[in-house]
Amino acid sequence: MRTDEELKRDFASAHIKHVHFKSKLRSYLFSSGVTEGPPRDPEQCSLGIWITDRLRGSGDYAHLPEARQFDRQHQLIHQEANRLMDLHAVGQKDAASAGLLPLQAIGDELMVLLQTMEAKLRR
């Protein structure tokens, strides 16, 4: 069992991993000089690794019903990011930029699920 402080740090690190992903995606879509985008594979990104360690199998938080939903939303945000990166790669930069709003909604849901899981574990 983790202490409240350990939970706080662990969930804050997941939040930071998500913010970093979004930042790299935005940089890829808006900066002509940036060629490196976020990892396309949700299993290889830093949040995906956190999910594998914490939310699947015998992970510390795998027992929470939100864990599976968080994992699904994480897969979905990568699918959407890949779609936007593909649009950008073929020169459809405006369409790619317009797709950030739906991606943000998925990200917002991820953050709500993260907060819900942390709150449940602190009880």
Side-chain angles (χ1 to χ4, degrees):
M1 185 77 181
R2 295 177 188 254
T3 66
D4 278 357
E5 190 57 37
E6 289 170 328
L7 286 170
K8 182 179 178 180
R9 277 194 308 271
D10 199 22
F11 279 85
S13 79
H15 177 84
I16 290 166
K17 291 171 191 330
H18 173 65
V19 169
H20 186 248
F21 168 82
K22 288 191 317 184
S23 173
K24 288 184 80 171
L25 178 63
R26 281 188 186 349
S27 292
Y28 179 83
L29 295 177
F30 291 113
S31 302
S32 58
V34 176
T35 57
E36 180 188 348
R40 285 185 173 264
D41 183 353
E43 301 299 320
Q44 297 302 313
C45 83
S46 58
L47 185 57
I49 294 167
W50 186 89
I51 289 168
T52 299
D53 290 345
R54 310 292 195 297
L55 302 182
R56 293 182 186 159
S58 60
D60 290 349
Y61 318 133
H63 64 284
L64 297 171
E66 293 84 3
R68 287 169 293 291
Q69 189 176 354
F70 188 87
D71 195 359
R72 281 192 304 273
Q73 288 301 107
H74 177 252
Q75 300 282 332
L76 183 61
I77 204 167
H78 273 272
Q79 288 172 5
E80 187 61 17
N82 280 321
R83 188 181 73 78
L84 300 182
M85 290 167 54
D86 290 344
L87 286 170
H88 182 273
V90 297
Q92 296 183 22
K93 293 176 178 35
D94 289 342
S97 298
L100 285 172
L101 196 56
L103 187 127
Q104 182 62 45
I106 298 166
D108 291 347
E109 187 172 338
L110 277 172
M111 293 303 96
V112 168
L113 289 166
L114 206 57
Q115 292 166 348
T116 300
M117 287 187 289
E118 182 181 2
K120 280 186 172 186
L121 291 163
R122 285 178 170 233
R123 286 187 205 133

